Amino acid sequence: MANVTTTAPGQAPATPRFSIRGALTAAEIDFRLFGMLLALVAILIGFNVVNEGTFLRPTNMTTLAVQGAGVAVLATGMVLVIVARNIDLSVGSLVGFIAMSYALLMTDWLPNILGMGDDFPFRWLIALAIGVGLGAVFGAVQGFIIAYIGVPSFVVTLGGLLSIRGAVWVLSQGAAVSGLDPTFQLFGGSAQGSIGGTLTWAVAIVGSLAIIGLIVYNRRQRRRFGFPVRPMWAEVTIAAVGCLAVIGLAAFANGNYWPPGAATRYAQEHGITEPAGGLKIAVGLPWPVVILIGVTVVMTFLATRRRFGRYVYAYGGNPEAAELAGINTRWTVVKIYILMGILCAISAAIAAARLNGATLDVGQSYELYVIAAAVVGGTSFAGGIGTVPGAVLGAFVMQSLAYGLAYSGVNSSEQNIVAGIVLIVAVAFDAYNRRRGGGS
Amino acid sequence: MHIRRVAALLAAAVVISACTSGGTSPSAGSGSAAAGGCVVGVSWNNFQQPRWAATDKPKMKQTIEAGGGTFIDADANLDNQRQLSDVDTLISKGAKVLVLLAQDNKAILPALQKAKDAGIPVIAYDRLIEDPSGSILYITFDNVGVGKAEAEAILSKVPKGNYVLIKGDPGDANASTFLPSGWNDAGLKDKIASGDIKIIGPKDGTYTDAWKTEKAQANMEAIIDQANAANKKIDAILAENDSTALGVVAALQSKNYGFPPLSGQDGDPANLNNVALGKQYVDVWKNSNELGKAAGQAALQLCQGKKISEVSITVDSSVAPAAGNTPQDFKTPGGNTVKSIILKPTPVTADSLDKVISAGWYADKAAICKGVDTSSSTAPAACK
């Protein structure tokens, strides 16, 4: 997320006099994304002030990130769906269906029908693979009906929302299912479900190297093809800020220690004598956040560096032109929905692991949060406009409000009021900016 | 609340079941109406929730047939119109008494009128019917009593300390009115006033949209973070029902918080399992086997020509109505007065899980005791 460079090879006009906007333009930083990052920081600081400095603690931010990860994962796909002038209302129900499948697979079907008991190796992986397969199939079916039969996506996925939620009921016969595979539970991101201090540092170092590598590679490529390059000061600043942010976040995440009770248990189980102040084990990045980072990188890559992504944006910008240019637009739409289905399976794994089971209402109204995240993140319903990192940021803007308000003791009705207003304000602000700034 | 929570989902389920069931007409259950015998017609609003088919129906049927009556029924599949035509069918099949689980407490009134015209007494089963003429018998569990039982169990375990209150959907009268008034009946309000109990999080409790488990989990995690930041320890949690209690347990687990005493209600298998595992202290259980039995007894007596006010039921002492075994006046929220028999809910803790198992609840011993280490000295006796 620290990597806020845009990849569109836009023209960088020379700035006659210094201005923040001018500097951002020269550095090719997405103004909208930058503004959203500032808004997110402002929200977090605001809650910190209201809560007398107790809010901005590593533990709290970890909770916030884990709670938002499921919706953020889906938002990365919803961007592409909306960019291609479609909508997917079925994501919440599909998450619920796959979460219930995971739970039933691991508690009933695999052990009782196929005889894979608790000690069966990689049972969790088998369940996960089946879930991903289910997601892809559901996505493909919906995508096929939309693209090849020509039923509007709103209708198809509204039908999906209803019927898939009904199928959750049929699967579970109305009862909640609990008690998942211990390995699978790591997806939920509790203290045990985190990668720990050392690996977090490793992730940070890899991330920093990737930022530097990407900047160097981009500069070379632009030189090679005679594109204008960013000014050197911008390159260095972006690299420095990016690396600092990544390493700073890692240090912050590692400031979160295991809860004392769990640490004591761990010490006893591993025969370690606890030091006087208690054993301090860094929690580091929780698995849901690691998964989200991975998904964001892959989805950004798909959207900006692969032919598939180019087709999606081309189709969203002008469907007729894309068709005439020889793009197989129908197949592109089907692929978007398959991708969305797979993301539902990933999000469902996080949700099910967090609950250590599945209830009938897992994923309910996710579609609204996910669409809101994409839209707050700058995705336009007119099609053709929207970025993956923007949607992830949008998800976290919404989640930080929900978590912050709950943390401050505000009840859910008021939370919903605030969320609704923020959604409208964000889009209104965006529309205003677009008109003033003269397009994207 | 269980019912309400799932009602929204069921609206969706109808789409599927309408296809799968192939639109079968209301299939009146077993046997044709024996001439002169007591035929009891039962109209269910839905069979999607496992409870009705698993406990209520078999027990009611068994009671009626043991008394020499005939049991016929129909499932309206959550459809008000269909329930009205179901009632017509039941009457034409010769029902002498009607038992109605109404899909809607007002939309059912035309059916009530038809029954009245035909001189057939009506029992409102589990769910109230707003009958302006007050001619029905309402047989249900005590919802305020559920709240009272939850709070009594937790308060006796943790008389002083920091409490978290997790409530259900803010639009549901059960969540905002009935259950909290039960909590206060058990002494919660007084203890808050005296300072013995302090509330962490919103003073009025934290509401959970649509009784959603995930939402309860997210709220509880925020409350735990807040308590940790303020160096406060959470000593007990009052959750109104099982779906929210499940979310609370998930939050406690993800935060490695340990398991302070926690309440719930419904007798859901996953929650009874948590009771056995020591993750939920009490689950207030409405033994609907006894509810079915009470309705069956009342139906037989009405068949024999007794007036509603003369009905007398005998149920297990654990659920016996506080007001006695005969119908009492009940003021409905709609301002009507009907006769009612209100059964007492049963608080279930790890020590009393055998009550649920021996009653033949749809959560069986295997489900309730799943994952319990039976060799451990702390394992509940019911699982050994």
Side-chain angles (χ1 to χ4, degrees):
Chain A
M1 259 160 295
N3 183 4
V4 288
T5 57
T6 59
T7 45
Q11 300 290 330
T15 43
R17 64 193 166 82
F18 182 80
S19 70
I20 295 178
R21 201 167 178 145
L24 288 176
T25 313
E28 293 173 18
I29 288 176
D30 188 331
F31 183 67
R32 194 179 300 124
L33 218 58
F34 188 72
M36 198 143 41
L37 203 59
L38 287 185
L40 181 59
V41 171
I43 290 169
L44 295 179
I45 291 177
F47 278 120
N48 200 38
V49 171
V50 172
N51 288 291
E52 290 150 359
T54 65
F55 186 70
L56 275 178
R57 302 187 331 153
T59 340
N60 298 352
M61 294 304 104
T62 307
T63 313
L64 194 165
V66 170
Q67 288 186 356
V71 165
V73 162
L74 295 173
T76 62
M78 191 60 86
V79 172
L80 298 189
V81 172
I82 298 178
V83 160
R85 304 191 175 198
N86 279 310
I87 196 73
D88 192 344
L89 300 174
S90 70
V91 290
S93 296
L94 192 49
V95 165
F97 183 83
I98 299 175
M100 186 54 83
S101 306
Y102 287 141
L104 287 170
L105 276 166
M106 277 178 280
T107 58
D108 188 5
W109 299 341
L110 293 182
N112 295 342
I113 300 174
L114 297 178
M116 298 178 190
D118 283 335
D119 46 359
F120 195 88
F122 298 110
R123 196 177 57 162
W124 63 275
L125 197 60
I126 296 169
L128 192 66
I130 294 174
V132 168
L134 276 174
V137 168
F138 273 91
V141 169
Q142 293 196 103
F144 177 81
I145 298 172
I146 292 162
Y148 287 92
I149 304 183
V151 184
S153 59
F154 189 92
V155 175
V156 174
T157 58
L158 182 62
L161 176 134
L162 293 171
S163 55
I164 300 173
R165 184 60 68 186
V168 179
W169 189 278
V170 173
L171 268 189
S172 69
Q173 291 301 308
V177 181
S178 68
L180 302 186
D181 186 280
T183 313
F184 193 89
Q185 284 183 43
L186 299 183
F187 287 122
S190 58
Q192 292 83 350
S194 301
I195 62 175
T198 320
L199 270 178
T200 301
W201 284 122
V203 168
I205 290 165
V206 170
S208 301
L209 291 178
I211 289 174
I212 296 169
L214 213 62
I215 287 173
V216 171
Y217 173 78
N218 273 344
R219 200 177 172 85
R220 270 206 200 134
Q221 287 293 88
R222 285 186 181 202
R223 276 258 160 77
R224 217 175 114 201
F225 295 107
F227 280 149
V229 290
R230 274 191 287 227
M232 201 56 194
W233 63 264
E235 303 273 29
V236 173
T237 314
I238 289 172
V241 169
C243 294
L244 268 179
V246 167
I247 290 171
L249 282 175
F252 189 68
N254 280 340
N256 181 19
Y257 300 109
W258 277 37
T264 308
R265 244 175 292 142
Y266 179 87
Q268 284 162 356
E269 280 166 18
H270 291 75
I272 307 165
T273 40
E274 259 195 289
L279 192 60
K280 293 231 184 252
I281 309 172
V283 170
L285 292 176
W287 273 112
V289 176
V290 177
I291 292 169
L292 173 63
I293 293 172
V295 165
T296 308
V297 169
V298 170
M299 290 298 290
T300 308
F301 179 72
L302 280 180
T304 59
R305 297 294 164 110
R306 305 302 297 171
R307 195 185 294 156
F308 164 70
R310 289 280 163 221
Y311 285 180
V312 172
Y313 281 88
Y315 176 75
N318 189 338
E320 289 80 19
E323 184 100 53
L324 290 173
I327 295 175
N328 188 346
T329 53
R330 291 178 172 183
W331 178 228
T332 304
V333 169
V334 174
K335 279 202 275 194
I336 295 173
Y337 278 92
I338 293 176
L339 205 54
M340 194 71 236
I342 293 171
L343 291 172
C344 285
I346 296 173
S347 183
I350 295 174
R354 264 167 62 68
L355 284 173
N356 185 20
T359 55
L360 290 170
D361 50 24
V362 169
Q364 207 177 36
S365 50
Y366 268 28
E367 60 280 350
L368 301 180
Y369 304 137
V370 172
I371 293 168
V375 169
V376 168
T379 310
S380 163
F381 272 113
I385 299 171
T387 63
V388 171
V392 173
L393 263 183
F396 279 107
V397 167
M398 304 298 283
Q399 183 58 40
S400 61
L401 283 169
Y403 174 77
L405 288 169
Y407 184 91
S408 311
V410 176
N411 239 318
S412 58
S413 323
E414 287 85 356
Q415 287 178 29
N416 291 339
I417 294 174
V418 173
I421 291 173
V422 166
L423 176 65
I424 296 171
V425 168
V427 178
F429 182 73
D430 207 41
Y432 170 77
N433 250 323
R434 238 174 260 238
R435 227 174 315 141
R436 195 168 140 268
S440 53
Chain B
M1 40 248 56
H2 205 103
I3 301 158
R4 219 200 131 96
R5 175 164 63 86
V6 300
L9 303 185
L10 284 183
V14 169
V15 176
I16 275 208
S17 53
C19 305
T20 52
S21 66
T24 44
S25 59
S27 54
S30 52
S32 58
C38 173
V39 183
V40 180
V42 185
S43 167
W44 308 98
N45 77 319
N46 82 91
F47 258 2
Q48 311 274 352
Q49 208 183 353
R51 161 189 165 182
W52 309 117
T55 60
D56 297 68
K57 175 177 168 175
K59 202 68 190 181
M60 203 187 293
K61 187 173 179 206
Q62 186 194 334
T63 309
I64 290 165
E65 284 171 356
T70 309
F71 176 95
I72 57 177
D73 71 341
D75 169 18
N77 227 329
L78 297 167
D79 183 341
N80 282 315
Q81 293 304 318
R82 184 157 167 192
Q83 186 157 37
L84 295 182
S85 63
D86 281 358
V87 171
D88 283 344
T89 312
L90 293 169
I91 293 174
S92 65
K93 285 204 171 190
K96 297 283 194 307
V97 180
L98 281 173
V99 178
L100 304 181
L101 174 64
Q103 165 68 9
D104 183 281
N105 64 16
K106 294 200 182 70
I108 193 76
L109 289 176
L112 200 65
Q113 188 57 44
K114 246 176 218 158
K116 211 182 288 176
D117 293 345
I120 298 172
V122 170
I123 295 172
Y125 185 75
D126 194 72
R127 212 172 293 171
L128 181 64
I129 295 173
E130 286 287 358
D131 175 19
S133 67
S135 65
I136 57 156
L137 173 60
Y138 173 41
I139 299 185
T140 189
F141 271 99
D142 181 2
N143 269 321
V144 176
V146 169
K148 190 167 175 231
E150 287 172 349
E152 275 172 350
I154 301 293
L155 285 170
S156 69
K157 185 88 177 160
V158 185
K160 282 184 181 186
N162 294 323
Y163 271 55
V164 174
L165 309 179
I166 300 290
K167 293 181 173 176
D169 189 84
D172 188 335
N174 270 314
S176 55
T177 312
F178 297 145
L179 292 162
S181 87
W183 289 356
N184 290 337
D185 287 353
L188 180 68
K189 203 175 178 180
D190 297 340
K191 291 212 168 203
I192 293 173
S194 74
D196 280 351
I197 286 176
K198 295 200 168 52
I199 306 297
I200 298 183
K203 294 288 164 251
D204 187 35
T206 302
Y207 284 96
T208 312
D209 289 340
W211 304 86
K212 272 191 279 187
T213 304
E214 282 185 302
K215 185 75 190 166
Q217 180 185 12
N219 284 336
M220 189 66 204
E221 284 173 345
I223 291 170
I224 293 173
D225 283 346
Q226 185 204 15
N228 282 339
N231 274 322
K232 285 185 204 157
K233 188 170 157 283
I234 296 169
D235 298 305
I237 304 139
L238 274 169
E240 284 188 336
N241 83 328
D242 273 356
S243 65
T244 52
L246 212 55
V248 168
V249 168
L252 293 169
Q253 258 164 348
S254 75
K255 292 273 157 198
N256 286 283
Y257 201 84
F259 299 101
L262 162 71
S263 67
Q265 70 151 316
D266 285 332
D268 283 357
N271 294 74
L272 290 170
N273 183 226
N274 279 343
V275 171
L277 293 168
K279 296 175 179 177
Q280 178 175 337
Y281 175 66
V282 63
D283 194 9
V284 177
W285 169 54
K286 294 178 283 191
N287 182 353
S288 44
N289 285 326
E290 294 297 316
L291 195 66
K293 193 162 101 185
Q297 292 170 352
L300 284 172
Q301 292 171 23
L302 292 172
C303 228
Q304 288 152 7
K306 276 196 185 177
K307 289 203 180 70
I308 280 179
S309 55
E310 297 166 357
V311 165
S312 173
I313 52 134
T314 38
V315 288
D316 191 83
S317 61
S318 62
V319 299
N325 294 331
T326 51
Q328 307 292 320
D329 281 340
F330 177 81
K331 270 266 186 219
T332 70
N336 302 309
T337 305
V338 298
K339 290 287 178 196
S340 69
I341 294 176
I342 297 179
L343 302 189
K344 204 171 63 181
T346 320
V348 175
T349 60
D351 297 332
S352 51
L353 278 170
D354 54 317
K355 276 191 215 169
V356 184
I357 294 169
S358 62
W361 189 236
Y362 75 94
D364 57 7
K365 186 176 171 183
I368 292 172
C369 296
K370 198 178 81 178
V372 174
D373 177 12
T374 48
S375 63
S376 155
S377 60
T378 53
C383 291
K384 284 181 179 167

